[in-house]
Amino acid sequence: MRFSKLMFGLAAVALVGCAGNQQAMERSMGQAESSKTLAEESKVPASLTETAAADLDSAKVFQENGEEEKAISAAEKSALEYKLSLLVQQRDELKKEDARIEKELRDDVERKLLYQNILDQELKGAK
C-alpha cells in the first residue's frame, strides 16, 4: 500500500513536471514564431535573421524528438535573435534618417548664409 502511494505520488510529480515543460515549450515556440512573423512583416533582411531561423528550425526538430529542454532553449534563443534583428534594422534606419537630417541642416545653414550675404549686399547698396 505504502509503495503504491509512493509510486502514485512520483507519477503525479512527473506529470506536473511534464505539463510545465510542455507549457514552457509551447510558450517559447509561440514567442519565436511571433518574433519571426514580426521580422517578416517588418521586412528584415534575411541576412539578419539567418541564425534565428536556423535556431527555430532546430527547436522544431528537438520538439519532434521529445527533447523539450533543448527545444525551449533553441526557441528562446531564436526569439531573442529575431528581436535583435529587428533592433539592428531599426538602428540602421535611424542612422540613415539621422544622416539625411544632418545634411538638410547643413544645407539650411548654407542657404541662410547665402541669404544673409545677399541681404547685407542689398543693405550696403541702399545706403
Side-chain angles (χ1 to χ4, degrees), residues 32-85:
E33 290 289 348
S34 296
S35 297
K36 177 183 177 182
T37 301
L38 186 57
E40 291 172 346
E41 290 173 354
S42 299
K43 296 180 176 41
V44 175
S47 61
L48 294 176
T49 61
E50 288 176 28
T51 306
D55 283 334
L56 182 55
D57 290 342
S58 294
K60 290 176 183 177
V61 170
F62 288 136
Q63 183 181 25
E64 289 172 5
N65 294 335
E67 298 178 80
E68 293 175 348
E69 293 297 325
K70 289 181 180 179
I72 292 167
S73 178
E76 288 176 355
K77 185 176 179 214
S78 174
L80 289 172
E81 288 169 344
Y82 275 118
K83 291 173 185 176
L84 178 61
S85 69

Side-chain angles (χ1 to χ4, degrees), residues 23-34:
Q23 289 174 345
M25 185 171 54
E26 289 174 11
R27 183 184 70 247
S28 296
M29 293 295 280
Q31 288 174 347
E33 290 289 348
S34 296

Side-chain angles (χ1 to χ4, degrees), residues 48-117:
L48 294 176
T49 61
E50 288 176 28
T51 306
D55 283 334
L56 182 55
D57 290 342
S58 294
K60 290 176 183 177
V61 170
F62 288 136
Q63 183 181 25
E64 289 172 5
N65 294 335
E67 298 178 80
E68 293 175 348
E69 293 297 325
K70 289 181 180 179
I72 292 167
S73 178
E76 288 176 355
K77 185 176 179 214
S78 174
L80 289 172
E81 288 169 344
Y82 275 118
K83 291 173 185 176
L84 178 61
S85 69
L86 285 161
L87 291 171
V88 167
Q89 179 188 33
Q90 186 178 29
R91 180 207 60 198
D92 292 347
E93 289 172 358
L94 289 172
K95 280 183 175 181
K96 287 178 187 175
E97 180 69 9
D98 186 51
R100 184 188 64 77
I101 290 171
E102 283 182 10
K103 182 185 180 311
E104 286 180 9
L105 181 58
R106 281 191 304 275
D107 291 346
D108 288 346
V109 169
E110 289 175 14
R111 259 192 306 278
K112 179 187 172 226
L113 291 172
L114 176 65
Y115 293 144
Q116 187 65 47
N117 191 21

Side-chain angles (χ1 to χ4, degrees), residues 9-24:
L10 290 174
V13 168
L15 286 176
V16 169
C18 290
N21 271 352
Q22 184 66 28
Q23 289 174 345

